[in-house]
Amino acid sequence: MEDWQGCPRLGTWRRPGTDVVVLEARGRAGACVLQTTLEDGRIVQLGGEVIGESHTSYRGLVGELGLSLVPAFPALPGVETTVLNSGRFLEDDFGWMGDEDRASYSRVEGEFAALSRQVDVDDPWSHPEAERLDAISVGDWLRSVGATPDVVRSRELAMAALGAESVERTSLLADLRKEAAVGSPGFYNYDHWEAERVAEGSATVALTMADELGYRIRYNTLVSTIDVRPGGCSVVAASGELFDCDSVICALPAGPLRRVRITGVSDERLKSLRRHRHALASKAVFAYPTSFWEAQGQNGSAYAETGVLGGTWPQREGVLSALVPPERLAPLLASAPALVEGELIDEVVKMFGEPAGQPIASFLRHWGIDPLTEGYITAWRPGDVMAVGPLHGTHEPPFYVAGSDQWVCGYMEGAVCTGRAAAREALRRG
Ligand SMILES: Cc1cc2nc3c(=O)[nH]c(=O)nc-3n(C[C@H](O)[C@H](O)[C@H](O)COP(=O)(O)OP(=O)(O)OC[C@H]3O[C@@H](n4cnc5c(N)ncnc54)[C@H](O)[C@@H]3O)c2cc1C
Protein backbone atom coordinates (compact mmCIF):
# COMPACT_ATOMS: atom_id res chain seq x y z
CA MET A 1 0.00 0.00 0.00
CA GLU A 2 1.25 3.50 -0.83
CA ASP A 3 2.32 6.01 1.78
CA TRP A 4 -0.91 7.72 2.90
CA GLN A 5 0.94 10.68 4.34
CA GLY A 6 2.04 11.74 0.90
CA CYS A 7 -1.56 12.32 -0.11
CA PRO A 8 -2.94 15.63 1.12
CA ARG A 9 -5.98 15.60 -1.13
CA LEU A 10 -8.84 13.09 -0.91
CA GLY A 11 -6.60 11.58 1.69
CA THR A 12 -9.03 10.09 4.18
CA TRP A 13 -9.35 6.78 2.40
CA ARG A 14 -5.62 6.33 2.65
CA ARG A 15 -5.71 6.25 6.42
CA PRO A 16 -3.43 3.42 7.67
CA GLY A 17 -5.28 0.13 7.72
CA THR A 18 -7.94 1.38 5.32
CA ASP A 19 -8.16 0.80 1.63
CA VAL A 20 -10.84 1.10 -0.99
CA VAL A 21 -11.78 -0.36 -4.32
CA VAL A 22 -14.28 1.37 -6.61
CA LEU A 23 -16.33 -1.01 -8.74
CA GLU A 24 -17.45 0.81 -11.88
CA ALA A 25 -19.56 -0.82 -14.57
CA ARG A 26 -18.40 1.52 -17.31
CA GLY A 27 -15.00 1.55 -18.93
CA ARG A 28 -14.45 5.16 -17.84
CA ALA A 29 -14.81 7.46 -14.84
CA GLY A 30 -17.32 10.27 -14.53
CA ALA A 31 -20.64 8.62 -15.45
CA CYS A 32 -23.05 11.46 -16.15
CA VAL A 33 -20.37 14.06 -16.19
CA LEU A 34 -18.75 13.56 -19.54
CA GLN A 35 -16.86 15.85 -21.89
CA THR A 36 -15.46 15.90 -25.37
CA THR A 37 -13.07 18.26 -27.15
CA LEU A 38 -13.95 20.09 -30.37
CA GLU A 39 -11.42 20.27 -33.20
CA ASP A 40 -10.62 23.86 -32.17
CA GLY A 41 -9.76 22.74 -28.62
CA ARG A 42 -12.90 23.86 -26.81
CA ILE A 43 -13.98 21.35 -24.17
CA VAL A 44 -17.69 20.63 -24.28
CA GLN A 45 -19.79 19.10 -21.49
CA LEU A 46 -22.31 16.43 -22.46
CA GLY A 47 -23.60 15.86 -18.91
CA GLY A 48 -23.54 17.76 -15.59
CA GLU A 49 -22.19 21.26 -15.97
CA VAL A 50 -23.05 24.10 -13.61
CA ILE A 51 -23.29 24.70 -9.86
CA GLY A 52 -24.60 27.27 -7.39
CA GLU A 53 -22.99 29.30 -4.65
CA SER A 54 -24.42 27.14 -1.87
CA HIS A 55 -23.01 23.94 -3.38
CA THR A 56 -20.24 24.03 -0.82
CA SER A 57 -19.14 20.38 -0.97
CA TYR A 58 -18.65 20.51 -4.70
CA ARG A 59 -16.92 23.89 -4.50
CA GLY A 60 -14.59 22.50 -1.82
CA LEU A 61 -13.72 19.50 -3.96
CA VAL A 62 -12.94 21.69 -6.97
CA GLY A 63 -10.53 23.68 -4.80
CA GLU A 64 -8.90 20.54 -3.36
CA LEU A 65 -8.27 19.22 -6.84
CA GLY A 66 -6.58 22.47 -7.88
CA LEU A 67 -9.31 23.31 -10.41
CA SER A 68 -11.10 26.64 -10.68
CA LEU A 69 -14.62 28.04 -10.88
CA VAL A 70 -15.68 30.76 -13.31
CA PRO A 71 -19.03 32.55 -13.75
CA ALA A 72 -21.50 30.58 -15.85
CA PHE A 73 -24.23 31.81 -18.15
CA PRO A 74 -26.46 33.83 -15.76
CA ALA A 75 -23.80 36.57 -15.81
CA LEU A 76 -23.95 36.97 -19.61
CA PRO A 77 -25.50 40.02 -21.29
CA GLY A 78 -28.65 39.93 -23.44
CA VAL A 79 -32.25 38.86 -23.02
CA GLU A 80 -33.93 35.48 -22.69
CA THR A 81 -35.79 33.90 -25.59
CA THR A 82 -39.14 32.16 -25.28
CA VAL A 83 -40.72 30.18 -28.10
CA LEU A 84 -44.44 29.72 -27.48
CA ASN A 85 -46.99 28.32 -29.88
CA SER A 86 -48.05 31.96 -30.42
CA GLY A 87 -44.57 33.08 -31.46
CA ARG A 88 -41.07 34.05 -30.28
CA PHE A 89 -40.54 36.55 -27.47
CA LEU A 90 -37.24 38.22 -26.61
CA GLU A 91 -37.65 39.53 -23.07
CA ASP A 92 -36.45 38.55 -19.61
CA ASP A 93 -38.55 37.20 -16.76
CA PHE A 94 -41.38 35.75 -18.81
CA GLY A 95 -41.94 39.10 -20.51
CA TRP A 96 -44.61 37.48 -22.67
CA MET A 97 -47.01 37.45 -19.71
CA GLY A 98 -49.49 40.28 -19.08
CA ASP A 99 -49.52 42.59 -16.04
CA GLU A 100 -52.13 40.50 -14.23
CA ASP A 101 -49.97 37.40 -14.69
CA ARG A 102 -46.86 39.20 -13.45
CA ALA A 103 -48.65 40.32 -10.31
CA SER A 104 -49.92 36.79 -9.79
CA TYR A 105 -46.41 35.39 -10.35
CA SER A 106 -44.85 37.68 -7.72
CA ARG A 107 -47.58 36.91 -5.21
CA VAL A 108 -47.45 33.12 -5.53
CA GLU A 109 -43.67 33.13 -5.60
CA GLY A 110 -43.75 35.01 -2.28
CA GLU A 111 -46.10 32.37 -0.87
CA PHE A 112 -43.83 29.60 -2.16
CA ALA A 113 -40.80 31.24 -0.54
CA ALA A 114 -42.62 31.63 2.78
CA LEU A 115 -43.61 27.94 2.73
CA SER A 116 -40.10 26.92 1.71
CA ARG A 117 -38.62 28.69 4.73
CA GLN A 118 -40.71 26.40 6.96
CA VAL A 119 -39.17 23.23 5.54
CA ASP A 120 -36.21 21.63 7.29
CA VAL A 121 -33.95 20.44 4.46
CA ASP A 122 -32.64 17.49 6.48
CA ASP A 123 -36.01 16.57 7.95
CA PRO A 124 -38.89 17.66 5.72
CA TRP A 125 -40.97 14.88 7.33
CA SER A 126 -41.11 16.89 10.56
CA HIS A 127 -43.15 19.66 8.93
CA PRO A 128 -46.57 19.59 10.64
CA GLU A 129 -48.25 19.42 7.23
CA ALA A 130 -45.66 17.28 5.48
CA GLU A 131 -48.18 14.74 4.23
CA ARG A 132 -50.48 17.37 2.72
CA LEU A 133 -47.61 19.31 1.12
CA ASP A 134 -46.20 16.13 -0.38
CA ALA A 135 -49.55 14.88 -1.69
CA ILE A 136 -50.17 17.98 -3.78
CA SER A 137 -48.40 18.69 -7.06
CA VAL A 138 -46.76 22.06 -7.66
CA GLY A 139 -49.30 22.64 -10.46
CA ASP A 140 -52.31 21.95 -8.22
CA TRP A 141 -50.84 24.10 -5.47
CA LEU A 142 -50.28 27.00 -7.87
CA ARG A 143 -53.91 26.84 -8.97
CA SER A 144 -55.09 26.49 -5.37
CA VAL A 145 -53.41 29.80 -4.45
CA GLY A 146 -54.92 31.56 -7.46
CA ALA A 147 -52.01 31.51 -9.95
CA THR A 148 -53.22 32.48 -13.41
CA PRO A 149 -53.00 29.84 -16.17
CA ASP A 150 -50.01 31.64 -17.70
CA VAL A 151 -48.16 31.55 -14.38
CA VAL A 152 -48.63 27.77 -14.26
CA ARG A 153 -47.50 27.69 -17.90
CA SER A 154 -44.38 29.71 -17.07
CA ARG A 155 -43.45 27.27 -14.30
CA GLU A 156 -44.05 24.38 -16.70
CA LEU A 157 -41.73 26.02 -19.23
CA ALA A 158 -39.08 26.50 -16.55
CA MET A 159 -39.27 22.83 -15.51
CA ALA A 160 -39.04 21.72 -19.15
CA ALA A 161 -35.96 23.89 -19.74
CA LEU A 162 -34.38 22.27 -16.68
CA GLY A 163 -35.19 18.78 -17.94
CA ALA A 164 -37.24 18.21 -14.81
CA GLU A 165 -40.64 16.53 -14.53
CA SER A 166 -43.78 18.57 -15.12
CA VAL A 167 -45.21 20.75 -12.33
CA GLU A 168 -48.22 18.42 -12.54
CA ARG A 169 -46.03 15.50 -11.46
CA THR A 170 -43.76 17.21 -8.92
CA SER A 171 -44.42 17.09 -5.18
CA LEU A 172 -44.79 20.54 -3.64
CA LEU A 173 -42.92 19.41 -0.52
CA ALA A 174 -39.99 18.18 -2.64
CA ASP A 175 -39.84 21.47 -4.52
CA LEU A 176 -39.99 23.47 -1.29
CA ARG A 177 -37.18 21.35 0.16
CA LYS A 178 -35.09 21.80 -2.96
CA GLU A 179 -35.26 25.59 -2.79
CA ALA A 180 -34.75 25.54 0.99
CA ALA A 181 -31.52 23.64 0.36
CA VAL A 182 -29.99 26.61 -1.45
CA GLY A 183 -31.71 29.36 0.55
CA SER A 184 -33.54 30.51 -2.56
CA PRO A 185 -35.98 33.41 -2.14
CA GLY A 186 -38.54 31.82 -4.47
CA PHE A 187 -38.87 29.42 -7.36
CA TYR A 188 -35.80 27.75 -8.93
CA ASN A 189 -33.54 30.41 -10.33
CA TYR A 190 -30.33 30.19 -12.25
CA ASP A 191 -28.46 32.58 -9.96
CA HIS A 192 -28.87 30.16 -7.06
CA TRP A 193 -28.35 26.90 -8.91
CA GLU A 194 -26.29 27.55 -12.00
CA ALA A 195 -24.09 30.60 -11.46
CA GLU A 196 -20.70 28.92 -11.86
CA ARG A 197 -18.91 26.23 -13.80
CA VAL A 198 -15.53 24.52 -13.58
CA ALA A 199 -13.20 26.34 -15.97
CA GLU A 200 -11.37 23.10 -16.87
CA GLY A 201 -14.73 21.32 -17.43
CA SER A 202 -16.88 19.57 -14.85
CA ALA A 203 -15.85 16.13 -16.12
CA THR A 204 -12.25 17.07 -15.26
CA VAL A 205 -13.30 16.90 -11.60
CA ALA A 206 -14.14 13.21 -11.93
CA LEU A 207 -11.16 12.47 -14.17
CA THR A 208 -8.74 14.09 -11.71
CA MET A 209 -10.15 12.03 -8.84
CA ALA A 210 -9.92 8.91 -10.97
CA ASP A 211 -6.26 9.63 -11.71
CA GLU A 212 -5.61 9.83 -8.00
CA LEU A 213 -7.44 6.57 -7.26
CA GLY A 214 -5.52 4.87 -10.06
CA TYR A 215 -5.68 1.09 -9.92
CA ARG A 216 -8.21 1.25 -7.08
CA ILE A 217 -10.93 1.77 -9.69
CA ARG A 218 -11.98 -1.52 -11.28
CA TYR A 219 -13.60 -0.59 -14.60
CA ASN A 220 -16.04 -2.80 -16.52
CA THR A 221 -17.17 -4.35 -13.24
CA LEU A 222 -20.96 -4.48 -13.08
CA VAL A 223 -22.12 -5.23 -9.54
CA SER A 224 -24.96 -7.73 -9.42
CA THR A 225 -25.18 -8.74 -5.73
CA ILE A 226 -24.33 -7.15 -2.39
CA ASP A 227 -24.42 -9.37 0.72
CA VAL A 228 -24.15 -7.41 3.95
CA ARG A 229 -23.15 -9.15 7.19
CA PRO A 230 -22.18 -7.67 10.57
CA GLY A 231 -18.60 -8.89 10.27
CA GLY A 232 -18.10 -8.03 6.62
CA CYS A 233 -19.71 -7.80 3.21
CA SER A 234 -19.40 -9.55 -0.13
CA VAL A 235 -19.96 -7.89 -3.45
CA VAL A 236 -20.37 -10.05 -6.54
CA ALA A 237 -19.86 -8.76 -10.07
CA ALA A 238 -21.81 -9.98 -13.08
CA SER A 239 -18.60 -11.74 -14.17
CA GLY A 240 -18.76 -13.83 -10.95
CA GLU A 241 -15.80 -12.05 -9.39
CA LEU A 242 -16.15 -11.77 -5.61
CA PHE A 243 -14.99 -8.86 -3.45
CA ASP A 244 -14.87 -9.28 0.34
CA CYS A 245 -14.77 -6.09 2.37
CA ASP A 246 -15.59 -4.54 5.76
CA SER A 247 -18.07 -2.00 4.44
CA VAL A 248 -19.92 -1.20 1.25
CA ILE A 249 -20.69 2.34 0.11
CA CYS A 250 -23.39 1.98 -2.50
CA ALA A 251 -23.41 4.97 -4.87
CA LEU A 252 -25.62 3.69 -7.66
CA PRO A 253 -28.41 5.80 -9.16
CA ALA A 254 -32.03 4.77 -8.50
CA GLY A 255 -32.68 2.88 -11.75
CA PRO A 256 -29.55 0.68 -11.99
CA LEU A 257 -29.75 0.05 -8.24
CA ARG A 258 -33.09 -1.74 -8.69
CA ARG A 259 -31.29 -4.46 -10.62
CA VAL A 260 -28.79 -5.20 -7.83
CA ARG A 261 -29.73 -7.98 -5.40
CA ILE A 262 -29.06 -6.79 -1.85
CA THR A 263 -29.28 -9.04 1.21
CA GLY A 264 -28.63 -8.34 4.88
CA VAL A 265 -30.13 -4.86 4.78
CA SER A 266 -33.51 -4.26 6.45
CA ASP A 267 -36.64 -4.38 4.30
CA GLU A 268 -37.51 -0.86 5.45
CA ARG A 269 -34.18 0.54 4.28
CA LEU A 270 -34.37 -1.25 0.95
CA LYS A 271 -37.97 -0.22 0.38
CA SER A 272 -37.03 3.43 0.90
CA LEU A 273 -34.00 3.12 -1.36
CA ARG A 274 -35.93 1.44 -4.14
CA ARG A 275 -38.69 4.09 -4.04
CA HIS A 276 -36.45 6.79 -5.59
CA ARG A 277 -36.93 7.71 -9.21
CA HIS A 278 -35.27 9.95 -11.76
CA ALA A 279 -36.41 12.44 -14.34
CA LEU A 280 -35.46 10.74 -17.61
CA ALA A 281 -33.84 13.32 -19.86
CA SER A 282 -31.60 13.64 -22.91
CA LYS A 283 -29.03 16.36 -23.45
CA ALA A 284 -28.20 18.03 -26.76
CA VAL A 285 -25.26 20.36 -27.42
CA PHE A 286 -24.77 22.63 -30.45
CA ALA A 287 -21.36 24.17 -31.10
CA TYR A 288 -20.79 27.27 -33.27
CA PRO A 289 -17.64 29.29 -34.05
CA THR A 290 -18.89 32.18 -31.86
CA SER A 291 -21.75 33.16 -29.56
CA PHE A 292 -23.55 34.74 -32.54
CA TRP A 293 -26.74 35.18 -30.50
CA GLU A 294 -25.11 37.91 -28.41
CA ALA A 295 -24.92 40.23 -31.44
CA GLN A 296 -28.69 39.71 -31.74
CA GLY A 297 -29.22 40.88 -28.14
CA GLN A 298 -29.97 37.31 -26.94
CA ASN A 299 -28.19 35.81 -23.96
CA GLY A 300 -28.48 32.21 -25.19
CA SER A 301 -31.01 31.13 -22.55
CA ALA A 302 -34.26 29.97 -24.06
CA TYR A 303 -37.53 28.34 -23.03
CA ALA A 304 -39.54 26.45 -25.61
CA GLU A 305 -42.95 24.82 -25.64
CA THR A 306 -43.28 23.84 -29.29
CA GLY A 307 -40.56 21.22 -29.83
CA VAL A 308 -38.86 18.52 -27.79
CA LEU A 309 -36.09 20.76 -26.44
CA GLY A 310 -37.18 22.35 -23.19
CA GLY A 311 -34.83 25.27 -23.76
CA THR A 312 -31.16 26.16 -24.05
CA TRP A 313 -28.40 27.87 -22.12
CA PRO A 314 -24.96 28.97 -23.27
CA GLN A 315 -22.47 26.44 -21.96
CA ARG A 316 -19.37 28.43 -22.99
CA GLU A 317 -18.29 30.61 -25.92
CA GLY A 318 -20.23 29.50 -29.00
CA VAL A 319 -21.76 26.43 -27.36
CA LEU A 320 -25.44 25.95 -26.50
CA SER A 321 -26.65 23.21 -24.18
CA ALA A 322 -30.22 21.92 -24.19
CA LEU A 323 -32.24 19.33 -22.33
CA VAL A 324 -35.11 17.19 -23.53
CA PRO A 325 -37.37 16.84 -20.46
CA PRO A 326 -39.08 13.57 -19.49
CA GLU A 327 -42.43 14.74 -20.85
CA ARG A 328 -40.90 15.11 -24.32
CA LEU A 329 -38.50 12.17 -24.32
CA ALA A 330 -40.95 9.76 -25.96
CA PRO A 331 -41.55 12.07 -28.98
CA LEU A 332 -37.76 12.41 -29.34
CA LEU A 333 -37.20 8.66 -29.20
CA ALA A 334 -40.01 8.16 -31.71
CA SER A 335 -38.14 10.11 -34.42
CA ALA A 336 -36.21 8.27 -37.09
CA PRO A 337 -32.53 8.52 -36.06
CA ALA A 338 -31.61 10.03 -39.43
CA LEU A 339 -34.04 12.91 -38.84
CA VAL A 340 -33.25 13.74 -35.24
CA GLU A 341 -30.28 16.08 -35.71
CA GLY A 342 -32.08 18.13 -38.37
CA GLU A 343 -35.25 18.34 -36.28
CA LEU A 344 -33.36 19.53 -33.22
CA ILE A 345 -31.38 22.11 -35.21
CA ASP A 346 -34.68 23.42 -36.64
CA GLU A 347 -35.82 23.98 -33.07
CA VAL A 348 -32.69 25.96 -32.26
CA VAL A 349 -33.24 28.03 -35.43
CA LYS A 350 -36.70 28.92 -34.10
CA MET A 351 -34.99 30.28 -30.99
CA PHE A 352 -31.93 32.01 -32.47
CA GLY A 353 -32.59 32.43 -36.18
CA GLU A 354 -30.81 31.19 -39.30
CA PRO A 355 -27.20 31.30 -37.94
CA ALA A 356 -28.22 28.51 -35.56
CA GLY A 357 -28.81 26.27 -38.58
CA GLN A 358 -25.08 25.71 -39.18
CA PRO A 359 -23.46 24.25 -36.05
CA ILE A 360 -19.88 23.04 -36.51
CA ALA A 361 -20.73 20.09 -34.28
CA SER A 362 -23.75 18.79 -32.40
CA PHE A 363 -24.14 16.05 -29.83
CA LEU A 364 -27.08 14.15 -28.37
CA ARG A 365 -26.80 11.89 -25.35
CA HIS A 366 -29.79 9.85 -24.13
CA TRP A 367 -29.02 9.73 -20.41
CA GLY A 368 -32.60 8.76 -19.60
CA ILE A 369 -32.26 5.42 -21.36
CA ASP A 370 -28.58 4.77 -20.64
CA PRO A 371 -28.88 1.54 -18.59
CA LEU A 372 -26.15 2.63 -16.17
CA THR A 373 -27.77 6.03 -15.48
CA GLU A 374 -31.49 5.78 -16.36
CA GLY A 375 -32.05 9.37 -15.53
CA TYR A 376 -30.69 12.81 -14.91
CA ILE A 377 -31.76 14.32 -11.56
CA THR A 378 -33.93 12.82 -8.83
CA ALA A 379 -37.67 13.23 -9.49
CA TRP A 380 -40.15 13.47 -6.64
CA ARG A 381 -43.72 12.88 -7.67
CA PRO A 382 -46.56 13.72 -5.28
CA GLY A 383 -46.35 11.28 -2.35
CA ASP A 384 -42.71 10.31 -2.99
CA VAL A 385 -41.12 12.29 -0.14
CA MET A 386 -43.32 10.54 2.43
CA ALA A 387 -42.90 7.15 0.74
CA VAL A 388 -39.10 7.36 0.74
CA GLY A 389 -39.39 8.72 4.26
CA PRO A 390 -36.84 9.76 6.89
CA LEU A 391 -34.53 6.87 5.97
CA HIS A 392 -33.60 8.92 2.90
CA GLY A 393 -29.80 9.15 2.76
CA THR A 394 -29.26 7.16 5.95
CA HIS A 395 -26.82 4.30 6.48
CA GLU A 396 -27.26 0.83 7.89
CA PRO A 397 -23.62 -0.01 8.74
CA PRO A 398 -21.73 -1.68 7.26
CA PHE A 399 -23.98 -0.73 4.34
CA TYR A 400 -23.63 2.96 3.50
CA VAL A 401 -25.35 4.96 0.79
CA ALA A 402 -24.03 7.82 -1.31
CA GLY A 403 -24.76 9.38 -4.66
CA SER A 404 -26.82 12.34 -5.71
CA ASP A 405 -30.17 10.59 -5.08
CA GLN A 406 -29.33 10.55 -1.38
CA TRP A 407 -29.39 14.38 -1.32
CA VAL A 408 -32.47 16.55 -1.78
CA CYS A 409 -32.72 16.36 -5.54
CA GLY A 410 -29.68 14.94 -7.33
CA TYR A 411 -27.07 17.30 -8.79
CA MET A 412 -23.29 17.15 -8.59
CA GLU A 413 -23.44 18.76 -5.15
CA GLY A 414 -25.53 15.79 -4.00
CA ALA A 415 -22.99 13.30 -5.30
CA VAL A 416 -20.10 15.02 -3.53
CA CYS A 417 -21.73 15.86 -0.19
CA THR A 418 -23.25 12.38 0.25
CA GLY A 419 -20.03 10.69 -0.84
CA ARG A 420 -18.01 12.63 1.67
CA ALA A 421 -20.56 12.02 4.44
CA ALA A 422 -20.71 8.27 3.77
CA ALA A 423 -16.91 7.94 3.69
CA ARG A 424 -16.59 9.93 6.91
CA GLU A 425 -19.17 7.74 8.63
CA ALA A 426 -17.67 4.47 7.39
CA LEU A 427 -14.18 5.52 8.53
CA ARG A 428 -15.49 6.70 11.91
CA ARG A 429 -17.16 3.34 12.58
CA GLY A 430 -14.52 1.29 10.83
C1 LIG B 1 -27.56 15.69 -18.98
C2 LIG B 1 -27.29 15.98 -17.55
C3 LIG B 1 -27.09 17.29 -17.15
C4 LIG B 1 -26.86 17.57 -15.80
N1 LIG B 1 -26.59 18.85 -15.44
C5 LIG B 1 -26.22 19.11 -14.17
C6 LIG B 1 -25.72 20.39 -13.83
O1 LIG B 1 -25.60 21.27 -14.67
N2 LIG B 1 -25.38 20.59 -12.52
C7 LIG B 1 -25.45 19.61 -11.58
O2 LIG B 1 -25.09 19.85 -10.43
N3 LIG B 1 -25.90 18.37 -11.90
C8 LIG B 1 -26.26 18.11 -13.18
N4 LIG B 1 -26.65 16.85 -13.52
C9 LIG B 1 -26.79 15.86 -12.49
C10 LIG B 1 -25.45 15.34 -12.05
O3 LIG B 1 -24.59 15.16 -13.13
C11 LIG B 1 -25.69 14.01 -11.33
O4 LIG B 1 -26.64 14.19 -10.30
C12 LIG B 1 -24.43 13.48 -10.69
O5 LIG B 1 -23.33 13.54 -11.55
C13 LIG B 1 -24.71 12.03 -10.31
O6 LIG B 1 -23.60 11.52 -9.64
P1 LIG B 1 -23.73 10.11 -8.90
O7 LIG B 1 -22.36 9.78 -8.48
O8 LIG B 1 -24.82 10.16 -7.90
O9 LIG B 1 -24.27 9.11 -9.99
P2 LIG B 1 -23.61 8.71 -11.38
O10 LIG B 1 -22.76 9.82 -11.87
O11 LIG B 1 -24.74 8.26 -12.25
O12 LIG B 1 -22.65 7.52 -10.98
C14 LIG B 1 -23.12 6.24 -10.75
C15 LIG B 1 -22.12 5.26 -11.26
O13 LIG B 1 -22.58 3.95 -11.02
C16 LIG B 1 -22.21 3.14 -12.14
N5 LIG B 1 -23.06 1.97 -12.10
C17 LIG B 1 -24.38 1.85 -12.37
N6 LIG B 1 -24.80 0.60 -12.13
C18 LIG B 1 -23.72 -0.10 -11.71
C19 LIG B 1 -23.51 -1.44 -11.26
N7 LIG B 1 -24.51 -2.33 -11.22
N8 LIG B 1 -22.26 -1.80 -10.89
C20 LIG B 1 -21.21 -0.91 -10.90
N9 LIG B 1 -21.37 0.37 -11.30
C21 LIG B 1 -22.61 0.77 -11.69
C22 LIG B 1 -22.43 4.04 -13.32
O14 LIG B 1 -21.72 3.60 -14.45
C23 LIG B 1 -21.90 5.36 -12.77
O15 LIG B 1 -20.52 5.50 -13.01
C24 LIG B 1 -26.87 16.53 -14.85
C25 LIG B 1 -27.06 15.21 -15.25
C26 LIG B 1 -27.27 14.93 -16.57
C27 LIG B 1 -27.47 13.51 -17.01
Side-chain angles (χ1 to χ4, degrees):
M1 198 171 159
E2 292 170 39
D3 175 15
W4 66 280
Q5 294 182 25
C7 177
R9 291 184 271 130
L10 303 174
T12 38
W13 57 268
R14 291 199 186 184
R15 197 175 282 176
T18 304
D19 209 342
V20 66
V21 60
V22 178
L23 305 181
E24 168 53 59
R26 294 178 203 266
R28 63 168 178 88
C32 54
V33 289
L34 173 67
Q35 62 197 17
T36 186
T37 307
L38 300 178
E39 277 179 16
D40 59 21
R42 282 176 292 170
I43 297 176
V44 170
Q45 303 303 314
L46 306 179
E49 237 184 88
V50 282
I51 60 149
E53 199 169 283
S54 61
H55 294 179
T56 50
S57 301
Y58 188 85
R59 298 170 70 87
L61 177 62
V62 169
E64 282 173 40
L65 297 173
L67 304 174
S68 46
L69 291 167
V70 291
F73 68 95
L76 293 172
V79 294
E80 287 171 354
T81 302
T82 306
V83 179
L84 302 179
N85 47 33
S86 53
R88 189 180 77 154
F89 297 80
L90 304 186
E91 227 173 321
D92 283 336
D93 301 326
F94 305 110
W96 49 272
M97 294 198 298
D99 289 345
E100 191 198 335
D101 299 314
R102 286 167 187 280
S104 169
Y105 192 101
S106 307
R107 187 178 56 73
V108 297
E109 185 170 35
E111 289 190 35
F112 181 91
L115 272 180
S116 177
R117 283 193 291 274
Q118 296 170 10
V119 175
D120 179 339
V121 179
D122 297 323
D123 188 9
W125 306 276
S126 65
H127 190 288
E129 293 197 77
E131 195 137 358
R132 185 181 69 78
L133 297 176
D134 188 37
I136 189 169
S137 70
V138 173
D140 280 344
W141 175 79
L142 285 168
R143 285 182 285 273
S144 77
V145 293
T148 64
D150 269 349
V151 169
V152 181
R153 187 186 187 189
S154 70
R155 295 310 311 151
E156 187 68 0
L157 277 165
M159 298 292 263
L162 279 180
E165 286 211 333
S166 161
V167 290
E168 309 301 345
R169 275 167 287 287
T170 298
S171 148
L172 175 62
L173 182 61
D175 218 26
L176 295 169
R177 183 189 188 197
K178 179 171 176 176
E179 296 314 319
V182 294
S184 161
F187 297 130
Y188 186 104
N189 75 60
Y190 293 145
D191 289 331
H192 276 78
W193 284 91
E194 312 197 1
E196 288 179 306
R197 63 183 174 88
V198 178
E200 297 83 357
S202 53
T204 305
V205 173
L207 297 175
T208 310
M209 290 171 72
D211 273 354
E212 193 153 327
L213 282 162
Y215 67 85
R216 289 182 172 83
I217 306 186
R218 292 287 304 270
Y219 292 106
N220 303 307
T221 306
L222 181 86
V223 170
S224 58
T225 305
I226 303 174
D227 287 321
V228 179
R229 296 180 306 277
C233 312
S234 304
V235 176
V236 184
S239 62
E241 198 174 359
L242 171 74
F243 299 83
D244 284 323
C245 50
D246 296 322
S247 310
V248 169
I249 297 180
C250 177
L252 305 191
L257 181 61
R258 291 186 200 122
R259 288 188 290 279
V260 178
R261 190 175 152 267
I262 303 177
T263 62
V265 174
S266 72
D267 286 349
E268 265 182 321
R269 184 71 201 87
L270 281 183
K271 202 172 144 210
S272 161
L273 209 52
R274 299 213 189 277
R275 193 61 166 71
H276 294 171
R277 68 177 106 216
H278 268 213
L280 304 187
S282 292
K283 179 168 176 174
V285 174
F286 308 91
Y288 302 91
T290 63
S291 303
F292 66 86
W293 49 87
E294 286 181 3
Q296 303 171 175
Q298 293 169 283
N299 62 13
S301 294
Y303 301 90
E305 71 178 3
T306 56
V308 298
L309 298 177
T312 62
W313 69 94
Q315 172 179 149
R316 58 169 300 158
E317 318 80 64
V319 180
L320 291 172
S321 293
L323 288 162
V324 178
E327 312 286 323
R328 305 183 193 177
L329 189 57
L332 172 67
L333 297 175
S335 298
L339 298 182
V340 169
E341 184 179 22
E343 289 177 353
L344 294 182
I345 290 173
D346 285 348
E347 291 189 25
V348 188
V349 168
K350 278 194 181 159
M351 301 171 196
F352 299 104
E354 289 307 323
Q358 303 292 330
I360 53 173
S362 61
F363 306 88
L364 178 64
R365 179 95 198 186
H366 291 307
W367 294 103
I369 54 168
D370 178 327
L372 296 174
T373 300
E374 278 182 34
Y376 154 60
I377 51 172
T378 316
W380 298 92
R381 297 218 187 132
D384 278 0
V385 179
M386 298 311 286
V388 169
L391 291 178
H392 183 219
T394 60
H395 313 296
E396 210 174 275
F399 177 78
Y400 300 84
V401 292
S404 58
D405 292 326
Q406 310 306 322
W407 191 54
V408 289
C409 55
Y411 288 78
M412 298 185 297
E413 168 67 11
V416 178
C417 72
T418 59
R420 283 195 192 280
R424 225 178 3 248
E425 192 58 15
L427 287 168
R428 190 180 68 78
R429 288 177 184 263

